[in-house]
Amino acid sequence: MTSAQIRQSFLDFFASQGHTIVPSSSLLPDSPGLLFTNAGMNQFVPIFLGDRAADVSKWAGVRPAKDTRAADTQKCIRAGGKHNDLEDVGFDTYHHTLFEMLGNWSFGDYFKKESINWGWELITKVWGIPAKRLFATVYSPDKSKGDPSEFDQEAYDIWAEIFRKEGLDPKVHIVHGNKKDNFWMMGDTGPCGPCSEIHFNLLPSDDETEGRKGVNSSSPRCIEIWNHVFIQFNANADGTFSPLAAKHVDTGMGFERVAGIHAVSKGFKDFTAEPSNYEADVFAPLFAKITALSGKTYGRTVPTKREGLTEQEQTDVAFRVLADHARCVSCAIADNILPGNEGRNYVIRRILRRGILYGKKLGLQTGFFEQLVAPVVESLGTVFPELKERQDIVRRVIRSEEESFGRTLDRGLQIFTKAASAGSINGAAAFELYDTYGFPLDMTQLLATERGLTVDAAGFEAAMEAQRERGRASQKKEIVVAATEGEATALEATKFLGYEDTTAHGKLIDVIKADKDTFLVFDQTPFYAEMGGQTGDIGTALINGQLVHLTDCVKDKAGRHLHKVAEGSPAFTAGATAELSVDLTTRRAINRHHSAAHLIHWALRKVLGTHVRQAGTSKTADRMRFDFSHFEAVTHAQLLEVEQLVNAKVIDNAKVDTYETEFDQKPEGTLAFFGDKYGKFVRVVDIGGYSRELCGGTHVSTTGEIGLIKVVAEMAIAAGTRRIEAVAGQPAFNLVATREAALSAVSAHLGGGASDVVKKLEALLAAQKETEKQLKAFQQKALAGMAEELAAKATTRDGFKFVSAVVSVSDQEVLRSLGSQVLAKLGDGVVQLGAALGDKASLVAFCSPAAVKAGHQAGKIIQGLSTAIGGKGGGKPDFAMGGGKDIAKLAEVLGG
C-alpha cells in the first residue's frame, strides 16, 4: 500500500463501522491553553466535558453516519510549550514537528470491547501486521505512588481473549503499565481514564521475549503505534475519582510511523532494516525536490551524537529537517498561523529559520524554502484541501520571511563567530543574536554544539527578563482599588445598560481616590467602560442637583465601571442617586469608528486573504487604528480597493444586528479571536450577513450611519504585523475638506483646475529638473575656473604647493568638490579652504599621497583650524572636514 492507501483504509474501515468521517480541524486551536492543535481529540473536548452534545452534524459541518461516532486524520504540531519535539527533529527518524494522527472516537456509544477488537482487526486482518509482533499495555496502578483507580481488568480480559485466539500467550503479550504510561488525564481535574497501547516489535527477530523487553523502553525497535483511551472517570478536586455518566473512547495512531514501517518492512514482512518514518512516501516529493536544489542525495544515515557528524550525516539530518519543517510551516500558514514575534507565531518563525539554517548547510541560497511548498501540496493537498486553496499565500509568506531573515543571517553569523572566539557564547551575545538578528536561543545552541561550545542560557534568560521588565514598565498601569471600610467583601460588577440606553438612574455605591483622580461607582450605568480597544464613554451625572462632568470610564478587576470625575468637581458620598447621561455626540462617533473597524477587517480579508486577523485595535471618537497579521506592505492599489469596498457597504446601509448566543451556537463563519477567553454566552455583531465577529463593543444601527470611511495611513509595527489608521463620519469629512482645500490651493498656484493639477505639476517638475541640470553644468564650469585661479595662486613650502583661501560657495558638498579639483590641478600638495555657510563656517583640507608621506595630515590640519574658529573637525590623513561658529576668523586662520 501507498501512504495514501493506508490512510484511506483506516477511514474506510471505521466508516464501515458507522463512524462519521470528519475533516481535520485547524492547527489553530479553539482553546486559549494550547499553542497548536496537538492531538486528534482536541476538537472533541467540549463533548468530553459535557459542554456540547454528541451531535457531529452540528459542529463538524458534515453529514454523519452516526452522531456519536467519529473518525479522522488530524494534522498536529508538537513544537513549543509542553509538547516540544523540535530539537530532536532530524537527528532521529521518528520525531516530527508536524504529524498526522489517525483516530476514532465514541461519544457515550461503544467502549473497550469494540474499540480494542476493531483496532486488532484493522492492523492484523486488513493491514496484515503479524500478530506475534504485537504487544498490548493495560493500566496497573502503583498504589505506593498514589496511582488512581484500580487495575483495568476489563481491558486485560479483552486482550487475553484476543491473544489466545491467535495462539499467543497473554502473559507475554500483555504488559502492565502505571499512571505515567497507561492513565490519561485531561488536567488535574475533569474527564480521565485508563488507556491501552498497541506496541510493535521491529527487531529483525520476532522473538516474543525480546520483543516484550522493548515495550515502553524508548527503543526505536519497539514502538507504540496506537493508543486507546477509555474516558470513564471524573477526577475530583479532592483527589477522588467518580464514574462518568457517559463513557467515551479516544484513540490516536501515528500515521507516519505506520506508513514508514510499512515502507521499510516491504508491507510488514521484512524487519531487517532500521525503522524510519521518513521512508513513508509522503516525504518522497520533498526529498526529490531537496536533491534537485542541492545536488546531494539522502543516504539514510542517523548520527549517534550531536557534534562531529560526518558529511553524509550532516546531509541526512538536513534532509529530514527540511522535509519536516516545510510540511509544518506550510500547513501552519495555510491555517492562518503566520510567522511572528510572539506565541505560536514565534514558534513557526523559529521552525522556518531553523530550516533555512539547515538549508545553508546544503549550500542552498535564500529563496529555496519557498520552493518546498509545491511538494508539500503534492503530498498533502488532497487530504488537507486548504493547502491547495492557499498555496499562493503560503509561498508569499515564506518568501517574505526568507528575504527578511536572509538580510540579517550573514551579519548574525559574523556576530556569532566573533562571540565564539572567546571559547563559549555568553548570555549577552546570545541575547543580541536573538533580539537584533532573530536567532532563537535553540538556534544559537545548535550552532554552538556543532563547534563543541556551550551557551550561557541563564545569562540569556536574565537579559530576556530585563527586556520583559522594560516592556511591563512601559505598559499602561491598571487602576487597582481596595474595598472601602464597611464594604461587602465580594464586589459586584456594575450592571451595564448601554447597549440599549444612553441615560439611566444609578445609585452611587462607592467613591474611589486613585492618585489625583476621583472615580464614582454606580450599581448600574449606561457608560461603556474602556474594553476591547474601544475607549470609555464621557458624559454627565446629576447628583443632588449638581451636574458633574465624567471624562472617562474604565473597569476594575471586579467588573465595576469606574467613572472618572472632572477636576474641581464637588465631593459626594455613597448612597446618592444619580441621573447618568452619556455624551451622545461622542458615543455615536465612537460607534462609527468601531463599526468601521469591523468593515475594514472584512475588506482586508477579502482583498489580502483569510490569513488576516485582528492583532490589536483602538476606537475613539476621532479615529481608529486596526492592527492585523500580514507579511508585507499593503500596496496603494490594495488600500484603495479596501476603501472602496467599505464605503460601498456604507452606501448599502446594511443593518447591524447584535445579539447574544451560546458560544457553540454562534453562526458559521463568525470570527472569534484565538487566545481570548469566552464564556458560555457571547455577543455577535453581524453586519449585513457578510461580517460576523464576537464583540462586546457598541455599534451603529445601520452602516449608513457611518457616513464615510477614509484610510489615513498604513504601516508596519512589527514583523508580520501591519497597522491601518482610518477616520469615519465627521472626521472623515473633515479630512476630505482639508485635502480639497490643499488641492485647490495647489491648483491655483499652478494656474489650472483640479483635473489638470497632476499634468501641470509633472510639467513643472520636468522643467525644474532640466533647469537644475543646466545649473549644475554652469556650477561645474564655474568651479573649474575657480579651481584654476586658486591653483595659480599656490605658494611653495617644503617642496610642496600650498593653497589656503576663503571662498564663496553654496554648500559643503560644493566646497569639498572645489578642494578636490584644486588638488588635482596642483598634482602634489596641500589644499585648505574655508567658506561661510549661513551662520557657521565650514572647512575642508586635502593632502596628496606624497604630502601625507612627508608628514602633512589633513585630519590634524582641520583639527587646528576648527579649534581656532570655535568648533571641531577631523578626518583621514588625505581628506578631512570641520567647522566652527566664528566666521570672522576664517580669513585670519587661513592666512587670507
Side-chain angles (χ1 to χ4, degrees):
M1 292 187 289
T2 64
S3 296
Q5 289 170 334
I6 291 173
R7 183 195 294 115
Q8 192 59 49
S9 67
F10 177 93
L11 299 175
D12 290 345
F13 178 83
F14 282 100
S16 70
Q17 306 298 338
H19 289 64
T20 298
I21 308 304
V22 301
S24 170
S25 66
S26 170
L27 286 166
L28 189 63
D30 193 2
S31 170
L34 291 176
L35 276 175
F36 305 99
T37 296
N38 59 18
M41 60 86 66
N42 288 167
Q43 63 175 315
F44 303 108
V45 166
I47 294 178
F48 298 142
L49 292 175
D51 293 340
R52 183 184 288 150
D55 183 355
V56 175
S57 61
K58 286 186 178 179
W59 56 270
V62 296
R63 187 174 183 83
K66 192 170 183 179
D67 285 342
T68 53
R69 299 179 182 182
D72 73 354
T73 179
Q74 172 66 54
K75 53 191 171 181
C76 303
I77 290 179
R78 290 189 180 176
K82 181 180 177 181
H83 298 287
N84 189 6
D85 295 334
L86 178 59
E87 300 313 307
D88 294 320
V89 174
F91 286 93
D92 61 32
T93 60
Y94 50 88
H95 276 106
H96 303 285
T97 55
L98 178 123
F99 63 96
E100 290 182 56
M101 185 177 285
L102 301 171
N104 59 285
W105 291 269
S106 165
F107 310 120
D109 190 339
Y110 62 81
F111 203 45
K112 297 179 185 178
K113 184 176 182 179
E114 294 86 348
S115 180
I116 292 173
N117 276 286
W118 284 337
W120 185 261
E121 181 181 349
L122 173 67
I123 61 178
T124 61
K125 305 301 187 277
V126 178
W127 287 349
I129 295 178
K132 193 176 182 180
R133 288 184 171 271
L134 296 174
F135 298 83
T137 63
V138 297
Y139 176 59
S140 180
D142 183 344
K143 294 298 184 180
S144 67
K145 294 182 179 179
D147 286 357
S149 187
E150 303 297 328
F151 175 66
D152 193 354
Q153 188 67 50
E154 182 182 0
Y156 182 91
D157 290 344
I158 296 168
W159 279 118
E161 182 180 356
I162 287 173
F163 285 119
R164 288 192 193 102
K165 286 181 178 179
E166 297 286 348
L168 301 171
D169 186 353
K171 292 181 180 180
V172 174
H173 284 268
I174 301 176
V175 179
H176 294 195
N178 60 14
K179 179 181 177 182
K180 176 179 176 293
D181 293 318
N182 285 95
F183 197 89
W184 177 88
M185 297 184 70
M186 187 177 292
D188 292 335
T189 60
C192 59
C195 59
S196 184
E197 300 169 342
I198 300 174
H199 292 250
F200 195 163
N201 169 23
L202 301 174
L203 292 167
S205 166
D206 63 2
D207 181 271
E208 295 162 89
T209 302
E210 288 302 310
R212 178 187 172 89
K213 291 178 182 178
V215 176
N216 287 334
S217 68
S218 299
S219 168
R221 279 291 190 170
C222 187
I223 63 173
E224 172 209 334
I225 59 170
W226 203 351
N227 188 14
H228 292 239
V229 178
F230 308 119
I231 304 173
Q232 63 187 97
F233 301 112
N234 184 76
N236 304 314
D238 62 1
T240 62
F241 292 80
S242 305
L244 291 175
K247 299 176 181 180
H248 314 293
V249 172
D250 159 27
T251 85
M253 176 191 292
F255 166 66
E256 288 83 1
R257 286 186 177 184
V258 174
I261 294 168
H262 182 274
V264 171
S265 64
K266 301 176 179 61
F268 305 123
K269 295 175 182 176
D270 180 358
F271 298 94
T272 55
E274 288 288 332
S276 170
N277 296 3
Y278 291 90
E279 294 302 314
D281 57 29
V282 289
F283 294 99
L286 279 155
F287 280 3
K289 186 64 177 180
I290 296 167
T291 295
L293 292 172
S294 67
K296 299 183 179 182
T297 56
Y298 181 59
R300 296 179 169 82
T301 62
V302 181
T304 57
K305 54 186 183 304
R306 294 295 177 102
E307 61 276 338
L309 274 62
T310 66
E311 184 176 349
Q312 188 61 54
E313 285 175 337
Q314 291 181 33
T315 295
D316 292 348
V317 168
F319 264 71
R320 290 190 287 267
V321 166
L322 289 179
D324 172 89
H325 290 8
R327 284 163 34 107
C328 180
V329 171
S330 298
C331 288
I333 296 172
D335 278 347
N336 297 325
I337 308 175
L338 273 60
N341 287 337
E342 295 181 349
R344 60 177 65 90
N345 308 91
Y346 180 58
V347 174
I348 297 303
R349 173 166 285 166
R350 283 176 58 195
I351 293 171
L352 175 55
R353 290 184 171 183
R354 186 173 187 258
I356 292 171
L357 276 181
Y358 273 99
K360 293 286 184 182
K361 297 177 184 298
L362 295 179
L364 302 177
Q365 300 302 310
T366 298
F368 80 89
F369 208 97
E370 176 196 353
Q371 298 182 60
L372 301 182
V373 175
V376 172
V377 174
E378 177 187 343
S379 174
L380 300 177
T382 301
V383 65
F384 304 124
E386 60 276 6
L387 273 169
K388 280 186 177 179
E389 295 166 6
R390 301 173 187 167
Q391 60 180 309
D392 180 59
I393 203 76
V394 173
R395 290 178 64 104
R396 287 168 58 199
V397 170
I398 291 176
R399 183 190 313 144
S400 176
E401 280 289 309
E402 275 196 275
E403 291 171 352
S404 174
F405 187 45
R407 288 191 290 269
T408 60
L409 178 59
D410 292 340
R411 177 59 180 155
L413 290 174
Q414 291 174 12
I415 296 297
F416 175 86
T417 301
K418 182 179 179 181
S421 64
S424 66
I425 309 298
N426 62 45
F431 181 74
E432 181 186 5
L433 286 166
Y434 161 79
D435 196 42
T436 306
Y437 301 100
F439 282 38
L441 177 62
D442 59 305
M443 187 183 295
T444 300
Q445 291 171 323
L446 171 66
L447 293 169
T449 299
E450 291 175 345
R451 292 162 173 77
L453 305 176
T454 60
V455 177
D456 179 11
F460 170 85
E461 184 54 38
M464 277 290 292
E465 182 55 34
Q467 185 186 64
R468 295 188 195 106
E469 185 58 39
R470 289 192 294 272
R472 287 191 288 265
S474 67
Q475 291 175 352
K476 183 178 179 181
K477 293 184 178 179
E478 181 182 8
I479 297 172
V480 180
V481 297
T484 56
E485 187 177 352
E487 185 180 20
T489 303
L491 300 176
E492 290 189 8
T494 304
K495 184 179 180 182
F496 178 58
L497 309 173
Y499 290 136
E500 291 80 24
D501 303 312
T502 53
T503 61
H505 287 88
K507 181 182 178 181
L508 181 60
I509 61 173
D510 203 357
V511 179
I512 297 166
K513 300 284 187 179
D515 294 328
K516 296 179 180 180
D517 297 323
T518 300
F519 297 89
L520 304 182
V521 181
F522 303 95
D523 61 342
Q524 60 182 20
T525 182
F527 281 67
Y528 184 87
E530 180 178 348
M531 184 175 62
Q534 178 174 326
T535 190
D537 282 330
I538 64 172
T540 60
L542 186 62
I543 308 174
N544 296 334
Q546 293 180 297
L547 191 66
V548 181
H549 289 279
L550 305 177
T551 60
D552 197 3
C553 187
V554 295
K555 189 183 289 190
D556 67 10
K557 288 185 176 180
R560 301 188 304 171
H561 288 225
L562 310 183
H563 305 73
K564 185 177 178 181
V565 177
E567 289 185 18
S569 297
F572 297 100
T573 57
T577 299
E579 186 178 324
L580 303 169
S581 300
V582 173
D583 184 306
L584 283 178
T585 301
T586 303
R587 164 71 83 85
R588 286 169 179 163
I590 295 170
N591 290 353
R592 293 185 190 103
H593 283 111
H594 200 151
S595 298
H598 282 228
L599 289 178
I600 285 175
H601 192 186
W602 163 79
L604 285 170
R605 287 169 62 84
K606 194 172 183 66
V607 173
L608 303 180
T610 54
H611 65 282
V612 168
R613 300 196 71 85
Q614 178 179 309
T617 181
S618 171
K619 286 85 64 171
T620 69
D622 300 321
R623 65 196 297 114
M624 61 140 289
R625 66 166 174 78
F626 186 83
D627 301 341
F628 59 98
S629 55
H630 190 51
F631 51 90
E632 62 186 3
V634 184
T635 67
H636 176 73
Q638 289 170 330
L639 283 177
L640 183 61
E641 186 178 357
V642 166
E643 196 174 84
Q644 289 173 336
L645 282 171
V646 296
N647 281 302
K649 294 304 182 183
V650 169
I651 295 170
D652 188 51
N653 197 30
K655 185 180 180 182
V656 179
D657 285 319
T658 57
Y659 56 89
E660 278 198 353
T661 184
E662 289 189 34
F663 181 82
D664 292 334
Q665 301 300 319
K666 63 185 182 294
E668 185 178 353
T670 302
L671 293 181
F673 301 103
F674 291 90
D676 287 358
K677 292 184 178 180
Y678 295 102
K680 185 174 183 180
F681 289 93
V682 291
R683 189 165 182 269
V684 177
V685 175
D686 186 331
I687 303 179
Y690 50 82
S691 168
R692 290 195 194 95
E693 296 187 19
L694 299 186
C695 176
T698 61
H699 289 269
V700 298
S701 299
T702 65
T703 58
E705 293 178 33
I706 298 172
L708 176 68
I709 300 172
K710 291 295 294 180
V711 174
V712 177
E714 191 276 341
M715 65 200 78
I717 60 169
T721 306
R722 310 291 302 181
R723 171 174 292 173
I724 276 184
E725 293 183 353
V727 287
Q730 191 59 50
F733 286 107
N734 294 343
L735 176 68
V736 171
T738 300
R739 289 179 174 177
E740 282 189 344
L743 180 60
S744 296
V746 172
S747 299
H749 281 296
L750 292 175
S755 59
D756 302 326
V757 69
V758 174
K759 288 183 179 179
K760 285 186 172 290
L761 186 58
E762 287 176 345
L764 182 63
L765 291 174
Q768 180 184 347
K769 188 175 182 180
E770 182 60 30
T771 301
E772 289 174 349
K773 183 179 178 181
Q774 294 175 358
L775 179 60
K776 191 171 183 179
F778 286 132
Q779 286 176 336
Q780 290 296 329
K781 188 174 182 180
L783 279 181
M786 191 182 300
E788 192 76 45
E789 291 180 14
L790 290 169
K793 297 177 181 178
T795 59
T796 302
R797 303 179 200 170
D798 303 326
F800 292 99
K801 293 181 178 180
F802 272 74
V803 171
S804 182
V806 178
V807 296
S808 178
V809 294
S810 59
D811 55 55
Q812 283 187 327
E813 193 57 40
V814 175
L815 179 64
R816 177 176 177 171
S817 178
L818 177 60
S820 177
Q821 290 185 46
V822 172
L823 183 65
K825 292 185 180 297
L826 293 181
D828 275 325
V830 176
V831 177
Q832 53 188 44
L833 302 176
L837 299 175
D839 59 352
K840 293 182 180 179
S842 289
L843 295 163
V844 65
F846 288 87
C847 295
S848 68
V852 171
K853 190 174 183 180
H856 299 284
Q857 294 193 15
K860 290 184 177 180
I861 292 172
I862 288 298
Q863 284 179 1
L865 294 174
S866 297
T867 301
I869 61 172
K872 59 183 180 179
K876 298 178 181 179
D878 60 337
F879 165 69
M881 296 186 75
K885 299 177 181 178
D886 200 343
I887 298 175
K889 288 187 176 180
L890 261 181
E892 179 185 339
V893 299
L894 288 171

